[in-house]
Every structure is written in structure tokens, then in C-alpha cells.
Amino acid sequence: MHYIYIMNKTAVIQARVHPGTKKKAETILKKLGITPTEAIRLFYVQIGLQGGLPFPVLIPNELTKKTLEKSSKGKEIQKFDSTNSIFEGWEE
């Protein structure tokens, strides 16, 4: 049996995000037919149902941190013409 909780919408949440992040997210939400308020409500409901965030949030290990730092600076980047060329590189 599924339960639907109907509650008064009386709590207010305020958050500050980068304008570019907001625009990108709202463009995607619009394509999905979801308002930002509905997305936040859905996120909070899922936190309650999951007993935590509804997706994994991991702290990167040292190798991952170093790799992310290098790539953000454009260092040690490999470019490929196709996905096949990526896999060919792995076989070597």
C-alpha cells in the first residue's frame, strides 16, 4: 500500500546558487515539465524516503583529486576522435 502525505505548504526554503547553475537547471526542469519548487519538494521527499541523499556523494581519493585539478587546468588531457579510439588506447 502506498501512502500519500498531504501537508500544508508553510515552510520556506531559500538558497543562493550561481546564476548559470540556476539557468541550466531550470532549462532542464522546464523540459521535464517540473517547476523549481516541485523539484525541491521532490528532492526533500526523496531525502526523507531514502534516509539520506538520493544519490551517492563521495569524497574523491587523492588520485582523483589530482586528476580533477590537472584536467581543470587543461593539463595531461587526452583527446579522442571516437569512442572506438578510446577503447583501442586501453588495449595497448
Side-chain angles (χ1 to χ4, degrees):
M1 178 179 283
H2 297 281
Y3 294 96
I4 297 175
Y5 296 96
I6 300 174
M7 298 177 262
N8 291 331
K9 299 173 191 168
T10 59
V12 176
I13 299 168
Q14 290 184 327
R16 294 189 183 277
V17 296
H18 186 275
T21 300
K22 179 180 181 286
K23 182 177 181 178
K24 186 175 182 179
E26 288 180 358
T27 299
I28 294 167
L29 291 172
K30 186 174 183 178
K31 289 178 184 178
L32 294 170
I34 300 172
T35 67
T37 299
E38 290 167 333
I40 292 167
R41 190 176 304 122
L42 177 62
F43 180 61
Y44 270 57
V45 167
Q46 285 299 308
I47 290 171
L49 292 172
Q50 300 289 329
L53 293 177
F55 48 82
V57 178
L58 306 173
I59 298 170
N61 63 32
E62 285 304 312
L63 176 60
T64 302
K65 281 188 216 178
K66 289 177 183 175
T67 303
L68 291 171
E69 288 172 12
K70 288 177 187 175
S71 65
S72 70
K73 296 175 183 174
K75 296 180 181 177
E76 298 183 33
I77 303 278
Q78 292 183 359
K79 295 184 180 183
F80 299 93
D81 296 327
S82 68
T83 53
N84 286 337
S85 62
I86 295 171
F87 297 123
E88 289 168 2
W90 288 351
E91 294 172 0
E92 294 175 0

